[in-house]
Each structure stands twice: as structure tokens, then as C-alpha cells.
Amino acid sequence: MTTAPAAPRRTTAVALDVLHEIEDRVLWLSSAIVHHANRVRPNPSGLKVGGHQASCASMVSIMTALWFRHLRPEDRVSVKPHASPVLHAVNHLIGDLDAAHLPTLRAFGGLQSYPSRSKDPDTVDYSTGSVGIGATATIWGALARRYADASDDGGFRGRQYALVGDAELDEGAVWEALLDPQVAGLGELVWIVDLNRQSLDRVVPDIAAGRLHGMFAAAGWQVLTLKYGTLLERLFERPGGAALRARIDDMANPEYQRLLRCTAGELRERLPGTGADAPAIAGLVAGTDDATLLEVVRNLGGHDLSALDTALSEVDDHRPTVIFAYTVKGHGLPIQGHPQNHSSLLTEDQMRQLAAELGTDLDDPWAGFPADSPAARLCAETGARLRREAVTSTAPPAVPTDIGRTPTGVATTQAALGRTLLDLTRSAPEAADRVVTVSPDVSSSTNLGGWVNKVGVWSPTERVDWFSDDAETILHWRERPSGRHMELGIAETNLVGLLGELGATWSRWGEPLLPIGVLYDPFVNRALEPWSYGIYAGGQSILVGTPSGVTLAPEGGAHQSITTPSLGLEQPGCTTWEPAFALDTEWTLLAALSRLGRADGGSAYLRLSTRPVDQTLARVPADPAARERRRRQVVAGAYPLRRPDGAKVTIAAMGALVTEALAAADRLQNLGIPADVVCVTSPGLLYRALDARAGHGDAPDWILDQAFPAERATPLVTVLDGHPHTLAFLATVHRVPSRRLGVTRFGQSGALDEVYRHHGIDTDSIVGAALDLTQ
């Protein structure tokens, strides 16, 4: 990659000298952090380490102005993924990160590739890395903070800044979030868009700023634009300046980017263009010396500290604000403006040249400012100003393990969710007060109606319920600050984004919540990435997918989930349960709630069904000790439902298919083939137990002895309303022959027995599989 012509270092007013000195040091440190990781640190494998010096450089001025002029300790910042070295450089200068960490970018146990709230050693407010999700996290963080702080001012406690690359705005998740009706009232949101007009592969061809301006404005945001810097604005005031402004305004992005790679002589030829105003522009350019011309073409608003300072001072806290800051990708580096500079690395010679320009030393890259110099003093003052008090988290309230109800008759696990939440308000009101439910417009269809009627819908201000006097209205929609249900539009990514931030309030603000998000199980896949990212970032919550599987027979393939049991099994930081009976649902939900809002806690995923099931099939023990033993087994992952004498086969079933498993066991008994039936409630916990038994991990393995005792090891049939590989590993507990039944094709509409037969998970299929293994 060729080197761009060097622009002279800027001359600044005395009031900005110190800030510019810090800006230069941030540019140096962020570049040196990436350089050391790739060209200095030993790399025996030879694999690419990576880093983004150009993406960092375009953010340096923005972050310098924000941290050293405007940021307050109560504010929170989401930093675009590829600018993580800039964040670490700033944190180092203000005393939040020791120099020993600077050489460790992307090393094992070192600074993470992208900002990580849970893994980086310095202050990181939001984990980013998955494009778009870090930016929208500030929206959900603002809502979570307001919910957790039910004060008279609505919980407004500092701004939520998002530093966003312009290419991130291509992500649909951004616009799903912006369109939620609650966002327009979040005046604490301030997004700063690094408008460098480059993506990973190319210079973005179209001029999108006007369209983006209109989209944000239509969503109710204040829109501020920083297009040109002070030097360029002054040039516009001279004769021919208006023509030059119009020329640059109308210039396609690639043409402008090419100017950044030109010498002064080439600029004089290219800049005037061929239009009617070309002579006027040529005259203006002719009167500008080479050094100024090279500097002025790079003089954009996103690199002008004075312009940034002014814009940040104009933020309106009564509505969200977006600042479009025009920048140059790679600004201040020899690779600036090159269309393929996204992942390019400066050579050692280029780094030494940069060190000379910035007054640093490549051989001593982490050297600080001279003691008691103005820059050192400003860094120290900024560190002291931004120092936060340690978060003292309130211990979450105790959650009962068993409410004591024994369901009878016919019930569904989905209905049991709402029933348990209502029971919790009576049996453990302190715990119920911490529960907050979230739904993407499906609260009534997922059996949360009774809970919503009981606790109300959260709103920053109380709203009139115009249907309160309508006798035919069953679901009462009372919106008030004391409500404990949060309703979103039909956007599953928004649901899990908010869920993750509600699940982080215990560590962010010291206020533990017990958040539960409910959505249609087929759409867990749609929400998978932001859900996983929320868990990675430290959010602890419960996701409930319901109704699930092909058991939702009449809805057809588009609404029948197949892979979600596997997702729950494989998701780190999360325990998955798929209960078969109402009491199993209560016990697992309570267990999941008890693990939220604590340092040693974690998230959970419950997969529920709308299939009515005879609750007497659960055979809940009447003896208190036996009941508690059953509860512990349910929570641990499995329990025996049938144990006949002389069993010749074992049927391990999960969720809605337990009914078919029991019916198959009855028929096999009549055929002289007694069958054990094991109800699996958590394949993930059983897998961890099996792994621990082999010496990997420290999960308890006692449940394997109780659910699958060695003395009852027989050929195994596994069956579930999902992909069969979810339970396939159970055959390795005792290395027995097995048949694995489940769903491997898109679903069909139809009656339940027809759909089960189509997928080979009906009673006949289970009996046939058992016969294949035993005869």
C-alpha cells in the first residue's frame, strides 16, 4: 500500500495545545498497540493477529474531545469495535490501565480484540464486536437504568454515548431499535457517527449522509452535522470558496477519498473539476500554498476539536441526539484515505516516521508525558474527574424452591409460566417485585395476561387506560412507572437487547433485577446473536420460548422450531430446560430466577409448549422428602417416570413428547418388553455432568446415577420435539445401542397425530424403535 502525501502538523490556538498533544499521543498509542501485537510480539504460529490502525485513527479526535472535555462519571460509552485500542490508550493516559497491558492486544489473557466488559482489565461500559449491537445496547441500557431507578426524574442518570462507524448503520438491528416508540423519549442517548465513508472492502459509493439525516430526524432525534473543519470553513469564505464548497458537497465519496492520496500538484489539477465553477476554484487553489492545501483537504469536522467541543455542548437532553462527524479513515497515518486500509498495518519505517512526527519513540512506545507537564496534569485531572465509586450491589431477594402447589387436571407448560409468576407475588413478594417481564407484542398469547393485569405495564410516565371501564376488556393495559412488564414492538432483537441490559443492572448500578423475556420459540433463531452477545457481556436473564416445536401443528413449518433445543444445549453461560409438566415448569423457573443478579449467576432458556397434558402422568410424590428429591432431579436435568421390573429398553423423552413416551411404554409392556421412561428436563446439564464424569469440568454428576443408573443400562430410545442430536449423547453414558428420534425436516400443518407421524416421533415410531433395539 502506498503512502499518502504527508500533511504538515496543524497549528493550534494556545487553549487547544494541550488537548492536541493528548490527541497525538492517543493516535500514537493506539497505533503502537496494534503494531506491537503484529510486528513485535513473537508469533510462532504465523497466524494473522490483526488490528485496525486506520479505524482507530478516524476515532482519535472524537474520543479525545469526549473523554477529556465532556464525559462525566455517570455517563456510559459504547465504543465501536475496531476502536478498542483507542479506548485502551485513553484509559491508560487517565490512569485506568497500566502500561504492562498495552503490549497484550489479542494475546491470550490480554486486551481483547474488541471492547469487552467482562474480559478487559480496564473500564469498558459496553461489550461491542458484533456490528450494530453495541450501538443499540445504549438504548436498552438507558431503558434498563430508568426502570431500575424509579425516581421522580424518571431515572435519568447521565448520558449514554454510542460511538458508531457509519458502516454499522447498514445493520437492520439499528433501525429496529430506533423505531421502538419508547426511544424518542430517551434524551440521554447521544450517538456519534464516525462518517469516514469506508467499509471493510471499499469506499462507500453513494452519499448517504442526507438519507441518514432524514431517517434519524423522522425518528425524533436531534441531528447535528460536523462536516468541515475550521481551516476549510475559512477557505470557503474567500473568493471562490462557495464554489469549492458546492464542488466538495456534490463530490462522490470515491472521488473525495482519492484526493486524500494526492500530492499538492495533483490536487491543483483535480480539485477544480470541469464544471462552470472550475475557474473560480482554480483561482482559490492557486492562492493557497502547498502545505495548507494538503492540510485543508483533510480538515473535516470529525477531526476538529473545536467543532467537536461545540457540537457536544449543543446536545439536547430532551430527545436523542446523533452527531454525524465527517472523518478520514486512517487520519494522521500514511495509509489515510486508501480504499483498502481497513486492516492494513504500518511498516516499521512508517511507525518510526510517525513517531518522529508525534514526538514519541518506537523503541520506548509506552513512555508517558513528562511529569507535571500540562498534558500529564490534564490526564490526571480527567482520571480523577471520571473516577467512579465502586458499585455496591444489593443481594437479590431469596427465591423459593417450591411454592407447594401440585397441579391436577389438564394444563400446559406455557400456562404454568403465568401461574408461577402470579403465585410468586403471594408466596415471595420481595422476589416478585424484582421480576420484570419483556415481550415483543405477544404477552397475551404467551399466557402473561394475568401477570400483566396484576403488576401493570412499565412506562416512564403514567398514561390513561381508555379501556378501564370497558367490561369486555380482559387484558388491562395500565401503563405507569411502577409497572413490571415492558412491552416492545414486534422485533425479537430488541427484546433480547433489552433483556441483556435488564440482566446487567446488578453489576452496573447495584440493583439486581430478575428479567424474563417471552417470545415465540421459532423466533429464538432470529434473536440468537444479540441474545448470545448479551450473555457474553454479563447480562443474566431468562428467555422463554413458547409455543415450541412441531407440536404447534396447525401453524405449519414457518412457526415450528426445530433447532432451538440444540441452541440451548450449546449456548455458553446459559442453562436450558424443557419441562414436560406444569410443576416441572415451576421448579425450573424458580431455579432459574435464583441464579440471576449475582456474581456467580447465569442465564437460562426455557422452552415451553401449548400442548395440554394430563398432570397426573407426572406422578408427583406425596411424601415431602420424595417430592424434594424429585424437584432436585428436575432442576438437575432428568428424573425417572417409570421403572418396571426387568426393563429391557429405556425411553428418554423431553417436553411435549413425554406423553408419547409413556403411551409407548404401556404398549411395550403389553408386548412383554418393559421399558424405563426417563423425563429429560435439561440436556445441557446432563451433558455437563457427563463431561465432568470424564474429568472435564466440575459439574455435579450425581444426576446420571439417579436418572440412568448403571444397573438399569439398556438399549436407549431418545425422542424430543426438536433435532434428535440434542439427546444423542445420552447413549454414551453407558455405551448402549440407541435410536434417536426427533425432527429433521421443516414442519407441516395438520393435526397433532398427523404431524408427529410425519416426523417419526409418534407413539408408533417410539414402539418401533424400541423393538428394533430389543428384538
Side-chain angles (χ1 to χ4, degrees):
M1 184 174 292
T2 58
T3 298
R9 302 306 300 173
R10 59 194 160 261
T11 57
T12 60
V14 174
L16 292 175
D17 275 352
V18 177
L19 205 57
H20 280 304
E21 188 177 356
I22 291 173
E23 178 188 30
D24 285 346
R25 188 57 58 92
V26 173
L27 175 62
W28 168 255
L29 286 173
S30 60
S31 301
I33 288 170
V34 177
H35 175 78
H36 192 282
N38 286 273
R39 301 199 187 278
V40 179
R41 193 170 65 224
N43 182 12
S45 70
L47 293 174
K48 173 187 173 183
V49 176
H52 302 85
Q53 289 172 320
S55 294
C56 287
S58 64
M59 287 298 303
V60 165
S61 303
I62 293 170
M63 294 177 68
T64 299
L66 180 58
W67 257 262
F68 291 89
R69 291 280 291 172
H70 290 270
L71 205 61
R72 301 166 298 176
E74 62 269 26
D75 298 333
R76 297 296 181 267
V77 188
S78 172
V79 177
K80 78 171 189 177
H82 292 159
S84 65
V86 184
L87 176 61
H88 298 311
V90 169
N91 281 341
H92 168 64
L93 289 175
I94 65 176
D96 189 41
L97 183 68
D98 190 87
H101 293 286
L102 300 181
T104 69
L105 179 71
R106 301 189 175 206
F108 184 78
L111 300 176
Q112 299 300 295
S113 305
Y114 311 117
S116 173
R117 184 169 176 261
S118 58
K119 294 187 176 183
D120 276 320
D122 50 339
T123 299
V124 176
D125 293 327
Y126 288 100
S127 296
T128 59
S130 189
V131 175
I133 293 177
T136 59
T138 57
I139 293 175
W140 315 124
L143 282 174
R145 190 170 198 176
R146 289 191 178 214
Y147 180 91
D149 183 359
S151 53
D152 293 338
D153 61 0
F156 194 129
R157 293 285 184 275
R159 291 176 178 168
Q160 297 273 353
Y161 291 95
L163 309 182
V164 189
D166 54 348
E168 284 193 80
L169 298 182
D170 290 344
E171 283 288 346
V174 170
W175 303 104
E176 285 189 69
L178 259 63
L179 290 177
D180 191 89
Q182 299 184 80
V183 175
L186 298 177
E188 59 266 51
L189 292 177
V190 182
W191 284 20
I192 305 175
V193 180
D194 170 17
L195 198 67
N196 59 52
R197 293 169 284 186
Q198 284 186 241
S199 60
L200 189 151
D201 290 328
R202 62 176 181 167
V203 176
V204 178
D206 299 322
I207 302 174
R211 183 175 72 252
L212 293 172
H213 183 292
M215 293 168 73
F216 274 93
W221 289 53
Q222 176 191 24
V223 183
L224 303 175
T225 301
L226 297 178
K227 189 166 187 178
Y228 301 120
T230 304
L231 186 62
L232 194 49
E233 290 284 3
R234 288 174 181 167
L235 192 65
F236 291 153
E237 295 171 359
R238 293 166 54 183
L244 178 61
R245 180 192 288 272
R247 163 85 168 118
I248 298 177
D249 281 345
D250 295 338
M251 190 179 293
N253 290 338
E255 182 182 2
Y256 177 79
Q257 293 289 104
R258 183 63 183 90
L259 296 179
L260 301 174
R261 312 292 301 167
C262 290
T263 64
E266 291 170 329
L267 284 174
R268 296 184 191 281
E269 294 178 6
R270 292 173 178 261
L271 201 52
T274 59
D277 290 330
I281 299 172
L284 175 61
V285 170
T288 305
D289 63 80
D290 286 356
T292 302
L293 191 59
L294 285 170
E295 185 173 359
V296 80
V297 77
R298 298 163 173 79
N299 187 231
L300 299 181
H303 301 301
D304 189 307
L305 294 176
S306 296
L308 286 163
D309 187 57
T310 299
L312 289 167
S313 300
E314 293 176 351
V315 170
D316 177 6
D317 283 331
H318 295 90
R319 55 177 172 155
T321 296
V322 61
I323 301 173
F324 288 108
Y326 281 72
T327 62
V328 174
K329 194 165 185 174
H331 184 261
L333 303 179
I335 57 174
Q336 60 187 326
H338 195 286
Q340 280 86 50
N341 67 8
H342 181 81
S343 297
S344 62
L345 299 169
L346 300 188
T347 65
E348 182 167 342
D349 287 344
Q350 288 173 327
M351 285 294 294
R352 291 196 182 279
Q353 177 188 350
L354 183 66
E357 293 175 3
L358 300 179
T360 57
D361 184 355
L362 184 59
D363 296 323
D364 188 15
W366 323 123
F369 291 115
D372 205 36
S373 65
R377 287 198 299 272
L378 179 56
C379 288
E381 291 166 3
T382 301
R385 171 171 53 84
L386 296 180
R387 193 162 295 120
R388 299 170 182 169
E389 295 182 7
V391 174
T392 303
S393 182
T394 302
V399 177
T401 58
D402 186 349
I403 291 174
R405 182 189 297 273
T406 303
T408 57
V410 174
T412 72
T413 55
Q414 177 179 288
L417 168 70
R419 176 78 264 171
T420 301
L421 290 176
L422 286 175
D423 285 345
L424 199 64
T425 63
R426 292 182 283 269
S427 62
E430 290 187 6
D433 285 345
R434 294 279 177 172
V435 172
V436 52
T437 55
V438 188
S439 165
D441 198 38
V442 294
S443 54
S444 57
S445 59
T446 54
N447 282 101
L448 286 181
W451 165 260
V452 171
N453 285 344
K454 176 77 173 179
V455 303
V457 178
W458 181 83
S459 173
T461 58
E462 187 154 359
R463 298 180 179 178
V464 176
D465 178 8
W466 293 104
F467 290 87
S468 60
D469 58 348
D470 187 336
E472 295 183 4
T473 298
I474 299 175
L475 180 63
H476 301 292
W477 209 254
R478 302 185 182 95
E479 298 179 79
R480 54 194 181 223
S482 61
R484 297 207 295 278
H485 174 76
M486 302 181 77
E487 187 80 0
L488 299 172
I490 307 173
E492 286 78 12
T493 56
N494 291 352
L495 166 79
V496 294
L498 177 55
L499 201 62
E501 289 304 317
L502 289 168
T505 56
W506 67 275
S507 57
R508 287 197 192 279
W509 325 117
E511 290 293 334
L513 297 176
L514 309 180
I516 303 173
V518 181
L519 78 168
Y520 290 165
D521 195 68
F523 306 139
V524 168
N525 287 296
R526 185 182 297 174
L528 180 58
E529 185 192 7
W531 175 50
S532 179
Y533 219 85
I535 295 173
Y536 168 82
Q540 298 175 1
S541 60
I542 300 171
L543 187 68
V544 177
T546 181
S548 65
V550 300
T551 300
L552 191 62
E555 291 286 347
H559 277 64
Q560 295 173 352
S561 54
I562 296 171
T563 61
T564 48
S566 304
L567 298 177
L569 167 66
E570 296 161 10
Q571 175 60 47
C574 179
T575 301
T576 179
W577 285 285
E578 184 167 346
F581 300 103
L583 189 54
D584 296 355
T585 305
E586 174 192 306
W587 286 339
T588 54
L589 178 62
L590 295 176
L593 288 170
S594 70
R595 300 181 68 244
L596 301 179
R598 57 182 72 247
D600 59 347
S603 295
Y605 163 50
L606 271 66
R607 189 173 188 254
L608 306 183
S609 172
T610 51
R611 183 184 184 183
V613 173
D614 179 1
Q615 298 301 301
T616 62
L617 295 176
R619 296 185 179 181
V620 179
D623 181 82
R627 178 187 175 103
E628 171 58 16
R629 185 173 186 267
R630 165 71 69 85
R631 185 200 67 80
R632 292 181 67 245
Q633 291 171 337
V634 167
V635 171
Y639 61 94
L641 260 180
R642 295 274 182 90
R643 284 252 173 97
D645 294 336
K648 297 181 180 179
V649 68
T650 300
I651 305 171
M654 188 165 76
L657 271 297
V658 168
T659 300
E660 274 61 39
L662 291 171
D666 289 340
R667 287 172 53 181
L668 288 167
Q669 183 73 38
N670 294 335
L671 294 171
I673 305 173
D676 281 351
V677 177
V678 178
C679 180
V680 175
T681 55
S682 176
L685 290 176
L686 294 182
Y687 183 83
R688 293 178 209 172
L690 186 61
D691 221 24
R693 177 164 289 183
H696 308 290
D698 56 359
D701 64 358
W702 59 267
I703 188 60
L704 298 177
D705 294 328
Q706 294 191 10
F708 301 98
E711 65 273 14
R712 300 189 72 87
T714 58
L716 177 68
V717 178
T718 63
V719 59
L720 75 154
D721 187 357
H723 198 282
H725 100 272
T726 307
L727 298 181
F729 71 92
L730 290 177
T732 67
V733 174
H734 298 299
R735 295 183 174 86
V736 295
S738 68
R739 283 288 308 277
R740 300 157 298 281
L741 307 181
V743 182
T744 59
R745 294 173 287 171
F746 286 114
Q748 299 285 338
S749 296
L752 190 63
D753 58 343
E754 295 173 321
V755 171
Y756 277 4
R757 189 178 307 115
H758 171 75
H759 290 287
I761 55 175
D762 59 328
T763 301
D764 284 350
S765 297
I766 299 172
V767 171
L771 292 174
D772 287 344
L773 291 170
T774 57
Q775 293 184 350

